[in-house]
Amino acid sequence: MTIDEFGQFASAIKTYFPKDNLLSTNEAMDLWFDMLNDLDYQQAYIGLKTYVATNKFPPAISDIRAYAMKAKELQELNEMEAWSLVKKAIRNGGYNSIEEYKKLPSLVQKAVGLPSQLREWALDENYKEAVVMSNFQKAYRFELQKKQEFQKLPQQVQKFIERENKHSYSTQIDQKRQDMIESTNAKEQREIMAFEIKLQGVPMPDKYRQRLEKMQTNME
């Protein structure tokens, strides 16, 4: 939020809690702004209103951040919504794993793993939806919680952690996955699909054979 928005925000806090002498000095205003300026104003204000409706004591900085994040969490997919996207991707993932993977939100991609996982689920003769769904939802829950906890931190702390973790194993894996997806062009996708079909020994349905033939014609 901007300095002007924070001024309005601070005024709202003082109005909600007039007897508590909050943010009464320039130093206090500067310190609170430093810890809250990375928040979106609307989310912070909705979080403040939610806090005021459920608490009779004035908020601390941590309360403001926590309630602002709760407002933002409402925009995230829940586990069933995320699974519905994965389920659809699996149906089309036998020969279009990379294309379907690209359509998924970033957090869902992390919970799935790699595009090849969609292909493996799609072509697995022993596929059990209940088992795959349960495992995916556990992974998605973990990724969502990790993201939410990270977002509660002040922006300067987030940047520090990102710099420290820049060369970590998990960060490198994430980067390699994104590089692979972004660098895969149409011709490479065609070749990957053809290779996967040959490798699996699965008869190609007419609609996929026609799609490959069309891609070959367009690329030549």
Side-chain angles (χ1 to χ4, degrees), residues 82-83 85-95 97 100-101 104 108-140 196 200 202:
W83 169 248
L85 295 180
V86 174
K87 185 176 179 179
K88 180 180 178 181
I90 291 173
R91 287 200 299 267
N92 301 320
Y95 306 104
S97 58
E100 290 299 318
Y101 188 87
L104 298 174
V108 178
Q109 289 181 351
K110 288 185 177 182
V112 168
L114 295 171
S116 59
Q117 182 63 73
L118 293 176
R119 183 190 69 245
E120 290 175 13
W121 284 333
L123 301 179
D124 185 0
E125 294 180 356
N126 299 314
Y127 173 80
K128 293 181 174 59
E129 181 175 322
V131 175
V132 174
M133 179 180 70
S134 177
N135 290 334
F136 165 78
Q137 289 181 332
K138 288 179 182 177
Y140 181 75
E196 289 176 349
Q200 295 293 335
V202 178

Side-chain angles (χ1 to χ4, degrees), residues 101 106 109 173-183:
Y101 188 87
S106 176
Q109 289 181 351
I173 290 298
D174 286 343
Q175 188 60 52
K176 287 181 178 179
R177 178 177 64 243
Q178 291 303 317
D179 289 346
M180 178 192 71
I181 295 168
E182 292 172 4
S183 65

Side-chain angles (χ1 to χ4, degrees), residues 157-170:
V157 178
Q158 292 181 21
K159 290 181 179 179
F160 172 78
I161 293 175
E162 288 172 345
R163 287 197 301 269
E164 291 297 307
N165 291 341
K166 187 175 181 180
H167 301 294
S168 69
Y169 179 74
S170 60

Side-chain angles (χ1 to χ4, degrees), residues 3-210:
I3 187 66
D4 290 337
E5 289 173 336
F6 178 73
Q8 298 175 40
F9 187 77
S11 179
I13 294 177
K14 294 177 183 180
T15 302
Y16 284 132
F17 302 96
K19 298 180 181 180
D20 294 283
N21 199 33
L22 293 171
L23 300 169
S24 58
T25 66
N26 290 335
E27 182 181 11
M29 291 284 286
D30 290 343
L31 289 172
W32 275 60
F33 179 67
D34 182 57
M35 295 297 293
L36 299 175
N37 69 78
D38 61 301
L39 297 179
D40 177 80
Y41 174 72
Q42 291 297 330
Q43 289 175 351
Y45 192 70
I46 291 172
L48 176 61
K49 292 179 69 174
T50 303
Y51 178 89
V52 170
T54 55
N55 294 271
K56 60 182 179 180
F57 298 107
I61 290 173
S62 59
D63 295 321
I64 298 298
R65 296 195 67 85
Y67 275 75
M69 287 304 107
K70 284 185 179 181
K72 190 173 183 178
E73 286 167 17
L74 296 176
Q75 302 173 11
E76 297 285 2
L77 298 173
N78 62 40
E79 293 174 15
M80 287 306 300
E81 290 170 336
W83 169 248
S84 68
L85 295 180
V86 174
K87 185 176 179 179
K88 180 180 178 181
I90 291 173
R91 287 200 299 267
N92 301 320
Y95 306 104
N96 295 286
S97 58
I98 294 178
E99 181 180 342
E100 290 299 318
Y101 188 87
K102 286 182 177 180
K103 297 176 184 178
L104 298 174
S106 176
L107 204 62
V108 178
Q109 289 181 351
K110 288 185 177 182
V112 168
L114 295 171
S116 59
Q117 182 63 73
L118 293 176
R119 183 190 69 245
E120 290 175 13
W121 284 333
L123 301 179
D124 185 0
E125 294 180 356
N126 299 314
Y127 173 80
K128 293 181 174 59
E129 181 175 322
V131 175
V132 174
M133 179 180 70
S134 177
N135 290 334
F136 165 78
Q137 289 181 332
K138 288 179 182 177
Y140 181 75
R141 194 180 310 129
F142 172 78
E143 293 295 342
L144 182 58
Q145 182 178 5
K146 185 168 64 172
K147 178 181 178 180
Q148 291 170 349
E149 290 299 319
F150 183 74
Q151 289 180 332
K152 290 180 182 178
L153 301 172
Q155 191 173 52
Q156 56 265 42
V157 178
Q158 292 181 21
K159 290 181 179 179
F160 172 78
I161 293 175
E162 288 172 345
R163 287 197 301 269
E164 291 297 307
N165 291 341
K166 187 175 181 180
H167 301 294
S168 69
Y169 179 74
S170 60
T171 300
Q172 291 180 44
I173 290 298
D174 286 343
Q175 188 60 52
K176 287 181 178 179
R177 178 177 64 243
Q178 291 303 317
D179 289 346
M180 178 192 71
I181 295 168
E182 292 172 4
S183 65
T184 304
N185 57 36
K187 181 178 180 181
E188 290 170 333
Q189 289 187 39
R190 182 196 69 196
E191 293 173 347
I192 290 171
M193 286 190 288
F195 175 76
E196 289 176 349
I197 293 166
K198 180 179 179 180
L199 182 65
Q200 295 293 335
V202 178
M204 186 191 302
D206 288 341
K207 65 178 181 179
Y208 292 116
R209 177 177 52 75
Q210 293 169 2

